[in-house]
Amino acid sequence: MNIAKVFSVGLTGLVFGLAGSYAFAQATGAVESKYRWLTFAVFGAIIALTMYITYRAAKRTKTAADFYTAGGGMTGIQNGWAIAGDYLSAASFLGIAGLISLNGYDGFMYSVGWLVAYITVLLVIAEPCRNIGKYTMGDILAFRNNPKTVRTVMALSTITVSTFYLTAQMVGGGVLVKTLIGIDYEISVIVVGILMLAYVVFGGMVATSYVQIIKAILLVIASLVMVTLIWSQYGFSFPGFLQAAVNDPGIQGRVATLLGDASKNMTPEQLGQRFLEPGLLFKDPIDQISLGMALVLGTAGLPHILMRFFTVPTAQAARKSVIWAMAIIGGFYVLTLFLGLGAAMKVGPSNIIAVDKGGNMAAPLLAQFLGGGADSLLGNLMLAFVAAVAFATIVAVVAGLVLAAASAMSHDIWVGVIKGENATSEEEVKAARICSVIVGVIAITIGILAKGQNVAHLVALAFAVAASANLPVILLTLYWKRCNTGGVVAGLVLGTLTAIALVLVSPNMTYPKAAKAAAQKVIDAAPARMAKLQADLAAATDPNRKAIVQKALAGVDKDVTVAQDTMKRLANDNTSIVGLEEPLFKLKNPGIISIPVGFLAVFLGSLFYRDKRAEDMWDELYVRSNTGMGRAGAAAH
């Protein structure tokens, strides 16, 4: 393969693609039209940098070990930063900052859940997985169980989890780029897809790792700069910063809106204080526990995270990489508290919602404010940088997911099951690249077809399946002598089916009657909202305030259009896709049920199935998982 020629063609295509995207960019993004060139310039610079890294990485990717695990040559620090880059998705950066800006304390609980998740990884998963596995999660299970059987079911589970997560990321990426800079949704999805394929197909794990490292560094730098600028305004006093949030009229108004009638007898200070207390977003403690279980245990079962522990040369480096990842991820999540509260005070919850209802634009809008506002060059440069970092975040995460799914298809199914472990390294690399293209094309297609769909339940599904199916079989294979092929198959099948079935009957799905009632409520309330905003516009004298109110007016129009589309789209529907008028399972996350089911299935399946090989291999697995002895031979393949 002439890599230089391929990259010349690829880069030319990307240049034309960006130019075409600029030409087709609509005037509806968060960035003003006259500054949109700035955003494209920053995007182009970051894309050029990552493509250059991929070009260099492609020259080093010769063997299957290079493609799947970067040749096992990553240091603990490098892998720690790459794990952080893999883990800190757009949901972490934009989503959590937005949740905090709109819901206060409860939004920060997501940060705590994702951080605590890594303690599970550090204590029970990282080192034994690195010592037992080679390229995929299937390798870990195949060590002491029937290889073909467990590789097949594990590959299906890996592809299922990756597809759920990948689809949510692709849809989120398309919506995000369209909201930020106005590029058409379909073009955004295709550009994200082409970039992720370029990283994975040409550079494999080497390019994917370095792209994730760069993205993580940019993400931390951008967050640190914004936090420094916002916190310095309060003399770097944490109590002073929190007190300013309590006294902020915009935050007090947001709490009054969330509480409704319950806020009538509360003073402004009490409303502001309520923003720093739990209960504004999570009202059901059981649902919160279920979500926490899925976040903490699901992380330890995500295939693209576990694959990263095969990229380091020693168990010590695996432990070091988890510690570095925890420090980086933990530090970053602390920064989201300042970003979210800062956006709530400086931008205002109502202005954030006017641009994006979910609050995902809180951090970019805060960057624009800190740089001087919507009409300043520096403000738009900062917004462009944050937008480009968010874009790089999405591409890096989907690249990791594509690599995990493609590895399961090529290494577990094609090499392990179809070829019976009889494939040369060159054949395996070729198969991995072909599988990457297949996964990438499927992801782009699903991403485009899912336009306008609510994909929040797919994220819940990915974590639920990972926690209910993947983690029980990995954990019990490593730590329970009686665990065998029967238990692994039962755990993967029942854990996956239980999680999917409960999500299908949960509040995550669309229930037409409730959706139409909510849409009608929006349409009925629109005239009063419009009248109030038009009065605010007439009274406004500051240009920035006028621009904000005009955006809010446009937001009301958009809400009405969406509500009318919902009424039209669901006109003939009265039940969900499984025939329900309302949720049968009241929790949004099934973890509190499906995780125990997964563990119980492994336990019972192992007891009712006889597998002498699993018991015979226990001593060898125990020694190797604790010492790493014999791994070098396995890795050589």
Side-chain angles (χ1 to χ4, degrees):
M1 180 183 296
N2 189 326
I3 295 174
K5 286 185 178 179
V6 172
F7 263 78
S8 298
V9 173
L11 283 174
T12 304
L14 276 174
V15 169
F16 279 104
L18 283 172
S21 299
Y22 180 71
F24 285 106
Q26 303 165 6
T28 55
V31 181
E32 294 292 338
S33 300
K34 63 180 178 181
Y35 292 113
R36 197 152 296 158
W37 63 271
L38 197 58
T39 306
F40 279 82
V42 178
F43 269 56
I46 290 181
I47 290 172
L49 174 62
T50 55
M51 290 302 289
Y52 175 72
I53 290 170
T54 305
Y55 170 72
R56 295 291 301 269
K59 292 183 175 180
R60 292 174 48 189
T61 304
K62 307 292 184 187
T63 67
D66 295 333
F67 189 90
Y68 292 128
T69 62
M74 304 292 290
T75 66
I77 297 175
Q78 288 174 329
N79 199 41
W81 277 97
I83 290 172
D86 220 350
Y87 196 61
L88 296 174
S89 65
S92 300
F93 177 42
L94 301 178
I96 289 182
L99 283 174
I100 294 173
S101 72
L102 300 182
N103 304 286
Y105 178 87
D106 279 359
F108 189 61
M109 290 308 295
Y110 269 95
S111 298
V112 175
W114 275 327
L115 176 60
V116 172
Y118 257 88
I119 295 176
T120 311
V121 178
L122 173 65
L123 293 179
V124 299
I125 292 293
E127 184 174 338
C129 279
R130 181 264 163 202
N131 288 342
I132 296 296
K134 186 166 59 177
Y135 300 147
T136 65
M137 292 172 71
D139 290 332
I140 301 169
L141 301 181
F143 187 85
R144 58 180 290 216
N145 299 304
N146 185 307
K148 289 190 176 181
T149 303
V150 296
R151 280 188 188 282
T152 302
V153 289
M154 191 69 244
L156 292 175
S157 178
T158 298
I159 294 169
T160 301
V161 172
S162 299
T163 302
F164 288 153
Y165 209 165
L166 192 55
T167 302
Q169 291 288 325
M170 294 295 285
V171 173
V175 172
L176 176 68
V177 174
K178 182 181 179 181
T179 305
L180 281 169
I181 52 179
I183 295 179
D184 190 68
Y185 172 84
E186 288 82 358
I187 295 175
S188 301
V189 171
I190 292 171
V191 170
V192 170
I194 291 174
L195 279 172
M196 75 178 180
L197 278 177
Y199 299 150
V200 175
V201 171
F202 295 111
M205 182 59 88
V206 179
T208 302
S209 297
Y210 282 106
V211 168
Q212 286 164 343
I213 291 170
I214 289 175
K215 162 246 173 160
I217 292 173
L218 290 175
L219 191 59
V220 170
I221 290 174
S223 301
L224 280 174
V225 169
M226 285 198 290
V227 168
T228 302
L229 290 174
I230 189 71
W231 199 10
S232 64
Q233 297 180 21
Y234 304 93
F236 293 104
S237 165
F238 189 57
F241 180 74
L242 294 180
Q243 189 58 48
V246 170
N247 296 334
D248 186 81
I251 289 178
Q252 293 167 357
R254 172 64 180 170
V255 175
T257 302
L258 290 172
L259 294 179
D261 293 340
S263 67
K264 285 183 178 176
N265 296 323
M266 296 175 69
T267 65
E269 289 74 18
Q270 288 174 326
L271 289 171
Q273 183 62 39
R274 188 73 178 80
F275 200 66
L276 304 181
E277 297 171 356
L280 291 179
L281 178 62
F282 302 118
K283 302 183 188 304
D284 185 346
I286 302 298
D287 206 1
Q288 193 169 352
I289 292 172
S290 189
L291 172 67
M293 289 176 65
L295 291 180
V296 172
L297 300 179
T299 299
L302 290 176
H304 67 296
I305 297 294
L306 291 186
M307 272 188 73
R308 294 231 52 93
F309 296 113
F310 305 140
T311 66
V312 291
T314 64
Q316 183 184 19
R319 292 194 296 272
K320 185 182 288 186
S321 64
V322 177
I323 293 171
W324 269 96
M326 285 180 63
I328 297 165
I329 294 169
F332 173 80
Y333 282 138
V334 171
L335 298 181
T336 61
L337 178 65
F338 290 89
L339 297 177
L341 290 180
M345 288 189 284
K346 299 303 178 184
V347 182
S350 59
N351 297 325
I352 295 169
I353 292 173
V355 179
D356 180 77
K357 277 187 175 179
N360 292 315
M361 293 302 106
L365 290 175
L366 176 63
Q368 190 182 47
F369 174 88
L370 293 172
D375 292 326
S376 70
L377 180 64
L378 181 58
N380 283 280
L381 177 62
M382 288 185 64
L383 190 153
F385 183 72
V386 170
V389 170
F391 180 75
T393 295
I394 293 168
V395 175
V397 172
V398 295
L401 289 165
V402 167
L403 191 58
S407 300
M409 291 172 66
S410 59
H411 180 68
D412 289 330
I413 299 294
W414 188 74
V415 176
V417 177
I418 298 175
K419 298 286 287 184
E421 305 283 353
N422 295 313
T424 65
S425 183
E426 290 74 18
E427 290 175 332
E428 187 160 358
V429 171
K430 185 178 179 181
R433 284 178 165 144
I434 292 172
C435 291
S436 299
V437 173
I438 293 172
V439 174
V441 170
I442 292 173
I444 293 171
T445 305
I446 294 177
I448 292 174
L449 293 176
K451 179 183 179 182
Q453 299 297 311
N454 178 5
V455 295
H457 59 283
L458 293 179
V459 177
L461 263 175
F463 274 88
V465 173
S468 309
N470 294 0
L471 181 65
V473 300
I474 293 289
L475 200 61
L476 294 179
T477 292
L478 293 173
Y479 293 102
W480 187 36
K481 185 177 181 179
R482 291 290 302 273
C483 183
N484 57 36
T485 305
V488 168
V489 173
L492 286 172
V493 173
L494 286 180
T496 300
L497 292 180
T498 304
I500 292 176
L502 290 177
V503 169
L504 285 175
V505 298
S506 73
N508 293 297
M509 307 308 292
T510 298
Y511 296 90
K513 280 191 174 179
K516 286 188 284 190
Q520 188 61 53
K521 193 175 178 181
V522 171
I523 294 171
D524 293 342
R529 292 175 62 195
M530 293 288 283
K532 183 179 183 306
L533 288 170
Q534 283 168 348
D536 291 345
L537 183 62
T541 54
D542 179 57
N544 286 336
R545 176 61 186 164
K546 282 186 176 181
I548 290 170
V549 176
Q550 284 169 342
K551 280 189 176 180
L553 280 167
V556 175
D557 282 335
K558 184 181 174 184
D559 290 344
V560 172
T561 302
V562 171
Q564 290 172 337
D565 289 344
T566 300
M567 297 289 285
K568 186 177 178 181
R569 178 166 51 85
L570 302 176
N572 299 320
D573 297 331
N574 290 311
T575 60
S576 68
I577 60 173
V578 293
L580 295 176
E581 291 187 357
E582 60 181 28
L584 191 63
F585 182 66
K586 301 302 180 184
L587 304 183
K588 289 184 177 178
N589 198 290
I592 200 167
I593 302 292
S594 60
I595 294 172
V597 168
F599 276 99
L600 185 63
V602 180
F603 183 72
L604 294 178
S606 298
L607 292 181
F608 287 107
Y609 184 83
R610 295 298 303 271
D611 187 352
K612 190 172 182 305
R613 182 176 185 273
E615 293 188 20
D616 291 343
M617 292 293 292
W618 168 253
D619 290 338
E620 186 175 342
L621 178 140
Y622 183 81
V623 172
R624 185 161 145 180
S625 66
N626 285 282
T627 65
M629 292 174 61
R631 185 184 186 277
H637 188 58

